[in-house]
Amino acid sequence: MELIATPDAAVVWKDNQLFLLDQRLLPETEVFIQLSSSRETAQAITDMVVRGAPAIGVTAAYGVVLAAREAFLMDARQWKQTIEPLLDDLALARPTAINLHWALARMKQLIVQLPDGDPENALIKEAQLIHSQDIESNVCLSDIAADLMQGCGSVITHCNAGALATGGYGTALGVIKSAFRDGKVDHVYADETRPWFQGSRLTAWELEKSGIPCTVMVDSVAATLMAQSKVSWVIVGSDRIAANGDVANKIGTYSLIVNAKFHGVKVMVAAPSSTIAMNTATGADIPIELRGSDEVMKCGGKQVGVRGVDVLNPVFDVTPAALIDVIVTEKGAIFHPSEEKIKALMLS
Amino acid sequence: MELIATPDAAVVWKDNQLFLLDQRLLPETEVFIQLSSSRETAQAITDMVVRGAPAIGVTAAYGVVLAAREAFLMDARQWKQTIEPLLDDLALARPTAINLHWALARMKQLIVQLPDGDPENALIKEAQLIHSQDIESNVCLSDIAADLMQGCGSVITHCNAGALATGGYGTALGVIKSAFRDGKVDHVYADETRPWFQGSRLTAWELEKSGIPCTVMVDSVAATLMAQSKVSWVIVGSDRIAANGDVANKIGTYSLIVNAKFHGVKVMVAAPSSTIAMNTATGADIPIELRGSDEVMKCGGKQVGVRGVDVLNPVFDVTPAALIDVIVTEKGAIFHPSEEKIKALMLS
């Protein structure tokens, strides 16, 4: 099995097997991991072999295929019961990204309707549909976003919301790719994105492979660039958008957007509609994942900070809807998002 | 020669020799480096063996002693000419911190007045006076600052403006020590401070040794803490304060202070008056040091980011005076700093 590491191959279903490009090791090492069970898939999501809300959703969908294979092998008649704890495991892999739950709900809906017999082919088809629809949504929302951008300039992005973070093409980086193609963006400032360095490791890797000029910086340089009028947009993805338009995204997004508002820089959130959680009322209802201290205090496998000191490591934050100029989905763009506008979009 | 690493021993003059606690290796390794020439001293400042504006000033003063020793040995009669290129070297070691130039100017002023004969003892005395006055200033400004704080709460500090960054006691961390002693601060959130990790490496080390409860976090978590009303003050040091009250400090300070203003968190800049540069009109006139890409793209000696990608690494930023609630010096506190108030303070 030979797989080539490209940004568009973060999650690969091939020869009825699931492979993930190990994003913990990029950019220095390009290795695929084969996952042979749904529990291994859940663990890979928890351990951030794969990350990015839409990519987690796509991975979980394929994880359901593996779960069904195991359950059907154990008990061909009762597999719909046997599979349940395996699906629960997948649901618990990470708390913040709603796309995980969205993809599981869609797979479960199909499971309920399936007739007797081996469910694998039907579930593979559905997972592949989730995967291909995610790519289509990203291409579509990126074109919508590029159309509404004016002139040409530099933008800042935070974390990695590229092909690696999705089924393919990317959300925030998808917008940047389309806008670069259309002459609306000529340069990207990529926040390194502490603590996991998604920017310096993954976004820079993707942009380089896409031929888009890119400068990496520590997250706090963004404020200086804004004060110097060097950027026209902040463009980010999202892990969950609440029904009122509040946006959860990688830690650092909120600080960046507060600075954008202070400096009059426009803010775009790019996400497929599967990121909008209509049953999450506001940002206050979004569970924020806390991860271990080693992500902050160790670097490159080496202890950097003081051992044993208390560390606070929330890996997402919430930006109130009022600070966001536009949310762009494949269903359309919402300027100055509100509960009413989001409801209307989701019903469209 | 045995020296014990304590926060108050970052710069040590002992047995007529200059020793620096190597801050690049803290907290895992506590090693002193002996500097045997002024050029070695300049290099140690450039390489950040010692860092922090007041500590750089104190080190440079001792560096002048070493320069005079070399110059007098080479040419006892013409040493005042011979020393000049050595002093120029010291002046060029780092561009942003004004205390370096302030200390050199004070040592030069003495050199001009010195009679014939070996200048060493007189210069040692002056360097030691600069050193002890810096500590006195820090203790004094810290008490002034603690007095003006109300109630008791948590504060955020950025970078390391502690004993390690000064002659001793510290500026921002000095304030925190005095305020903790007086029951005005009970907990410190320390920004890790990318890219050099002064917070997770140095501030956490000092606070732990001082018995002050401390939590380390990546820099961008500050905004979330502010949104949750968990902090009452941002307290930082400074590398140069312009005549109009604009403040240069470690990269990330500006972004943090913009967030503080947005959330109604008060902002204090703590610095000895030697940090105020009356001949630097505004923040726009402060030279901002750009350092190499490895500081951002390598961690713990290991490549983390994408090789060869463009990196922007300004290690200071400028916060306009209008965003600062109070600047505290040993000469007194200035609320809502302005050119007039700073002029009056410096003449007092």
Side-chain angles (χ1 to χ4, degrees):
Chain A
M1 169 63 59
E2 257 192 59
L3 292 169
I4 294 166
T6 73
D8 280 309
V11 186
V12 176
W13 182 263
K14 196 172 178 186
D15 298 338
N16 288 332
Q17 303 295 339
L18 176 58
F19 300 87
L20 297 176
L21 178 58
D22 192 341
Q23 300 192 31
R24 299 170 302 181
L25 305 179
L26 289 176
E28 290 288 293
T29 308
E30 300 178 353
V31 173
F32 281 88
I33 292 182
Q34 185 185 339
L35 301 165
S36 47
S37 72
S38 66
R39 277 189 206 276
E40 271 184 33
T41 307
Q43 194 62 47
I45 292 170
T46 300
D47 294 345
M48 298 175 71
V49 175
V50 65
R51 28 64 53 199
I56 290 171
V58 170
T59 302
Y62 289 122
V64 174
V65 175
L66 299 181
R69 185 181 293 170
E70 294 158 60
F72 190 75
L73 207 65
M74 280 174 65
D75 186 343
R77 263 189 283 178
Q78 301 285 318
W79 74 270
K80 287 187 186 183
Q81 282 77 56
T82 315
I83 200 174
E84 277 182 13
L86 302 179
L87 301 186
D88 291 347
D89 262 8
L90 283 167
L92 290 170
R94 291 191 74 189
T96 303
I98 196 63
N99 313 59
L100 172 64
H101 303 283
W102 174 87
L104 291 176
R106 199 165 135 178
M107 296 298 281
K108 279 183 191 174
Q109 211 169 10
L110 175 62
I111 286 173
V112 171
Q113 297 162 8
L114 282 180
D116 285 345
D118 189 339
E120 184 159 324
N121 284 341
L123 290 172
I124 290 177
K125 212 173 135 191
E126 184 70 1
Q128 286 178 323
L129 192 61
I130 288 174
H131 193 164
S132 63
Q133 285 175 343
D134 186 63
I135 301 173
E136 278 165 35
S137 290
N138 294 340
V139 171
C140 177
L141 72 86
S142 296
D143 287 344
I144 293 171
D147 276 351
L148 61 82
M149 293 172 76
Q150 307 285 322
C152 182
S154 292
V155 299
I156 296 180
T157 191
H158 188 74
C159 194
N160 169 272
L164 287 170
T166 61
Y169 199 68
T171 54
L173 277 197
V175 172
I176 287 167
K177 287 173 192 170
S178 294
F180 180 75
R181 175 200 65 203
D182 295 351
K184 304 282 185 73
V185 164
D186 58 7
H187 184 258
V188 179
Y189 288 101
D191 280 355
E192 64 168 7
T193 315
R194 282 289 288 157
W196 218 68
F197 296 116
Q198 285 93 338
S200 55
R201 299 197 303 106
L202 310 180
T203 296
W205 189 74
E206 277 200 53
L207 288 174
E208 193 161 73
K209 287 187 192 279
S210 304
I212 300 176
C214 159
T215 298
V216 171
M217 57 198 190
V218 303
D219 301 340
S220 65
V221 171
T224 294
L225 291 177
M226 290 172 180
Q228 295 170 346
S229 303
K230 288 196 176 155
V231 286
S232 50
W233 282 94
V234 165
I235 305 178
V236 294
S238 173
D239 293 80
R240 188 184 302 205
I241 300 173
N244 72 339
D246 292 350
V247 168
N249 193 43
K250 181 55 49 199
I251 188 71
T253 302
Y254 177 51
S255 177
L256 177 67
I257 290 178
V258 166
N259 268 285
K261 297 319 287 181
F262 181 83
H263 292 95
V265 172
K266 291 187 288 294
V267 175
M268 179 191 295
V269 175
S273 60
S274 56
T275 307
I276 298 175
M278 292 307 285
N279 57 358
T280 303
T282 74
D285 304 303
I286 300 175
I288 298 297
E289 180 180 10
L290 290 169
R291 292 181 69 90
S293 62
D294 278 357
E295 281 187 358
V296 177
M297 300 302 255
K298 286 189 175 181
C299 258
K302 200 172 153 185
Q303 184 76 26
V304 169
V306 175
R307 288 173 197 265
V309 150
D310 182 47
V311 173
L312 179 64
N313 185 24
V315 297
F316 300 97
D317 57 27
V318 173
T319 301
L323 300 182
I324 295 160
D325 290 291
V326 61
I327 295 176
V328 185
T329 76
E330 82 284 2
K331 288 169 174 275
I334 310 172
F335 290 88
H336 310 296
S338 67
E339 196 179 333
E340 292 67 35
K341 292 180 190 175
I342 285 179
K343 203 174 196 174
L345 180 95
M346 293 303 273
L347 292 173
S348 68
Chain B
M1 169 62 62
E2 259 192 58
L3 292 169
I4 294 167
T6 72
D8 280 309
V11 186
V12 176
W13 182 262
K14 197 170 177 188
D15 299 339
N16 288 333
Q17 302 295 341
L18 176 58
F19 300 87
L20 297 176
L21 178 57
D22 192 341
Q23 300 192 31
R24 299 169 303 182
L25 305 179
L26 288 177
E28 290 289 291
T29 308
E30 300 178 353
V31 174
F32 282 89
I33 291 182
Q34 184 184 341
L35 300 164
S36 48
S37 72
S38 66
R39 277 189 206 275
E40 271 184 32
T41 307
Q43 194 63 46
I45 292 170
T46 300
D47 294 345
M48 298 177 70
V49 175
V50 64
R51 30 61 55 198
I56 290 172
V58 170
T59 303
Y62 289 122
V64 174
V65 175
L66 299 181
R69 186 182 291 169
E70 293 158 62
F72 191 75
L73 208 66
M74 278 174 66
D75 185 343
R77 262 189 283 180
Q78 300 285 318
W79 74 271
K80 289 188 187 183
Q81 282 76 56
T82 315
I83 200 175
E84 277 180 13
L86 302 178
L87 301 186
D88 291 345
D89 263 8
L90 284 166
L92 291 170
R94 289 191 75 188
T96 304
I98 197 64
N99 313 60
L100 171 65
H101 303 281
W102 175 88
L104 290 177
R106 199 165 133 179
M107 295 298 281
K108 279 183 191 174
Q109 209 169 14
L110 176 61
I111 286 172
V112 171
Q113 296 162 8
L114 282 181
D116 286 345
D118 190 339
E120 183 158 326
N121 285 341
L123 290 172
I124 289 176
K125 213 172 133 190
E126 185 69 3
Q128 287 178 324
L129 193 62
I130 287 173
H131 193 165
S132 64
Q133 285 175 343
D134 185 62
I135 300 172
E136 280 165 33
S137 290
N138 294 340
V139 171
C140 177
L141 72 87
S142 296
D143 288 346
I144 293 171
D147 277 351
L148 61 84
M149 292 171 77
Q150 309 284 322
C152 182
S154 292
V155 299
I156 295 180
T157 190
H158 188 76
C159 194
N160 170 272
L164 287 171
T166 61
Y169 199 67
T171 54
L173 276 196
V175 172
I176 286 168
K177 287 173 192 171
S178 293
F180 180 76
R181 176 200 66 204
D182 295 352
K184 305 281 184 75
V185 164
D186 58 7
H187 184 257
V188 179
Y189 288 101
D191 280 353
E192 64 168 5
T193 315
R194 281 289 289 158
W196 219 68
F197 296 116
Q198 285 94 339
S200 56
R201 299 196 302 108
L202 309 180
T203 295
W205 188 75
E206 278 200 53
L207 289 173
E208 192 160 75
K209 286 185 191 282
S210 303
I212 300 176
C214 159
T215 299
V216 171
M217 59 200 187
V218 302
D219 302 339
S220 64
V221 172
T224 294
L225 291 175
M226 291 173 179
Q228 295 170 345
S229 303
K230 287 195 175 155
V231 287
S232 50
W233 281 93
V234 164
I235 306 178
V236 294
S238 174
D239 292 81
R240 187 184 304 204
I241 299 173
N244 71 339
D246 292 349
V247 168
N249 193 43
K250 182 52 52 196
I251 187 72
T253 303
Y254 176 51
S255 177
L256 177 67
I257 290 178
V258 166
N259 269 285
K261 296 320 286 180
F262 181 83
H263 293 95
V265 172
K266 292 188 288 294
V267 175
M268 179 191 294
V269 175
S273 61
S274 57
T275 308
I276 298 174
M278 293 306 285
N279 57 0
T280 302
T282 73
D285 304 304
I286 300 175
I288 299 297
E289 180 180 10
L290 290 169
R291 291 181 72 90
S293 61
D294 279 358
E295 282 186 359
V296 177
M297 299 302 255
K298 286 188 176 182
C299 256
K302 199 173 152 185
Q303 185 75 26
V304 169
V306 175
R307 290 173 195 264
V309 151
D310 182 48
V311 173
L312 179 66
N313 184 25
V315 298
F316 299 96
D317 58 28
V318 173
T319 301
L323 300 182
I324 295 160
D325 290 291
V326 61
I327 294 175
V328 186
T329 76
E330 81 285 1
K331 288 169 174 275
I334 310 172
F335 290 87
H336 310 294
S338 67
E339 195 179 335
E340 294 65 37
K341 291 179 188 173
I342 285 179
K343 202 174 196 174
L345 179 98
M346 293 303 274
L347 293 172
S348 70

